[in-house]
Amino acid sequence: STFGAESNFGDGATFGAESTFGAWSTFGARSTFGEWSSFGEGSRFGAGCEFESEGKAKDGYPLLSFGGLGSENRTTYAFNLESGIWIRCGCFKGTLDEFEKRVIEIHGDNIYAKEYLMIVELIRMKWDGGK
């Protein structure tokens, strides 16, 4: 059937226990947005919000995210902090300038570099006046 064990909504399926939306997934309890995560239960984007001890968020909405990018289809998070713009992407964490340099080192001018560098430009346009 459409919703049976072997379907898109069964145990091993797209929305099943081991799936994209399961407990260990992008949106599960132990995930990027889950209860024990950076964006979990105790997190908020209000006054005094901090990002991994790098500083407090600037006024306004301090988060941009871009999904499905690069050779690993990662999600890249940008945080607008009083200390500057910080990026988290896979195991990388650093400033926007450091991220840009690392992208060029790893990807040169391939398609993945172009994707990442386009979001660098968008982040600068949004939070840094295009600098």
Side-chain angles (χ1 to χ4, degrees):
S1 77
T2 306
F3 298 99
E6 303 302 319
S7 73
N8 287 338
F9 298 94
D11 285 339
T14 305
F15 296 98
E18 304 300 322
S19 70
T20 305
F21 297 96
W24 292 93
S25 69
T26 304
F27 299 99
R30 293 165 181 81
S31 68
T32 304
F33 296 98
E35 182 178 350
W36 296 288
S37 70
S38 299
F39 301 104
E41 174 182 321
S43 124
R44 70 181 194 282
F45 296 116
C49 176
E50 288 193 27
F51 169 65
E52 298 182 14
S53 303
E54 297 302 337
K56 293 186 181 195
K58 285 188 176 179
D59 290 337
Y61 194 74
L63 170 70
L64 296 174
S65 65
F66 306 88
L69 299 171
S71 60
E72 300 293 325
N73 293 311
R74 297 197 188 284
T75 299
T76 302
Y77 301 94
F79 297 86
N80 194 17
L81 307 177
E82 290 174 355
S83 61
I85 298 170
W86 282 83
I87 303 296
R88 163 68 79 187
C89 183
C91 63
F92 176 87
K93 179 181 109 174
T95 67
L96 185 61
D97 290 338
E98 291 167 343
F99 178 69
E100 181 178 36
K101 181 180 176 185
R102 185 77 175 136
V103 164
I104 294 167
E105 286 173 4
I106 291 173
H107 296 293
D109 65 352
N110 70 20
I111 188 69
Y112 306 123
K114 291 174 184 173
E115 289 176 356
Y116 284 128
L117 295 176
M118 288 178 82
I119 67 167
V120 166
E121 184 177 338
L122 180 59
I123 292 165
R124 284 194 174 118
M125 184 176 15
K126 173 82 174 163
W127 286 335
D128 221 10
K131 296 177 189 173

